[in-house]
Amino acid sequence: MNETLTLFAPLAGWAQPLAETPDPVFAEKMLGDGLAIDPTLGELRAPCDGEVIGLHACSHAVTIRATNGAEILLHIGLETVRCGGAGFEPMTAIGRKVVAGDLLLRFDLDRLARGAASLISPIVVINSQGFAVEQRASGREVRLGEPVLALRPTGAEAKAP
């Protein structure tokens, strides 16, 4: 599979580089490459077609395996795990097949703004060693569903299982 995968904005808000995320794990790309979005709407949607392979017990993070094998972590806010799931309403489950734009979870922006370290939400390709980022939205507002990241597979490790 050599086709470029386009990820669509899973959140509405301000797109920025991961390096500007106030958390070193994301800012230093320890988990992988991607971007961050400061959300203005309490909805998280699927950025591509794939399968939900992770849904954190506190519902603040969802991981999707795209059809080309890319694994995308969608993490709402920073230190939101300390909210214990309050303010999150999951709309999906592990093992569910999704298409770009499907609603994955709803979250209460006001509640999270009071309980989290930040609302900035990293979108990270956690197996990014198998992909090259060709385009990335940054320094601007993005609407739900608009293209924000393009990934090109770079080798055998990027193949779907």
Side-chain angles (χ1 to χ4, degrees):
M1 227 182 241
N2 289 329
E3 289 188 29
T4 298
L5 173 68
T6 299
L7 297 184
F8 300 96
L11 299 159
W14 188 261
Q16 61 191 56
L18 276 179
E20 294 178 9
T21 304
D23 181 315
V25 171
F26 294 109
E28 295 172 18
K29 300 182 183 177
M30 292 179 198
L31 294 178
D33 201 357
L35 74 151
I37 299 176
D38 193 356
T40 56
L41 179 67
E43 291 183 359
L44 177 70
R45 296 192 173 262
C48 60
D49 297 352
E51 178 182 354
V52 176
I53 61 168
L55 175 60
H56 193 278
C58 294
S59 302
H60 70 284
V62 177
T63 305
I64 293 177
R65 180 180 297 124
T67 54
N68 74 344
E71 294 179 358
I72 299 107
L73 170 66
L74 311 163
H75 194 284
I76 303 300
L78 300 173
E79 297 182 33
T80 44
V81 70
R82 68 183 179 199
C83 296
F88 293 97
E89 180 185 3
M91 308 301 287
T92 194
I94 294 174
R96 184 164 294 158
K97 301 285 187 199
V98 295
V99 297
D102 281 356
L103 183 62
L104 301 174
L105 53 91
R106 290 190 173 105
F107 54 96
D108 184 331
L109 281 171
D110 292 333
R111 186 174 196 162
L112 296 179
R114 290 189 303 271
S118 172
L119 290 174
I120 293 172
S121 300
I123 314 304
V124 179
V125 183
I126 56 177
N127 60 345
S128 61
Q129 70 281 359
F131 298 89
V133 175
E134 294 192 328
Q135 296 175 347
R136 176 185 348 239
S138 183
R140 66 178 179 87
E141 188 172 346
V142 294
R143 295 179 318 278
L144 271 175
E146 81 172 78
V148 292
L149 199 67
L151 299 172
R152 180 181 45 80
T154 59
E157 61 273 273
K159 290 182 181 174

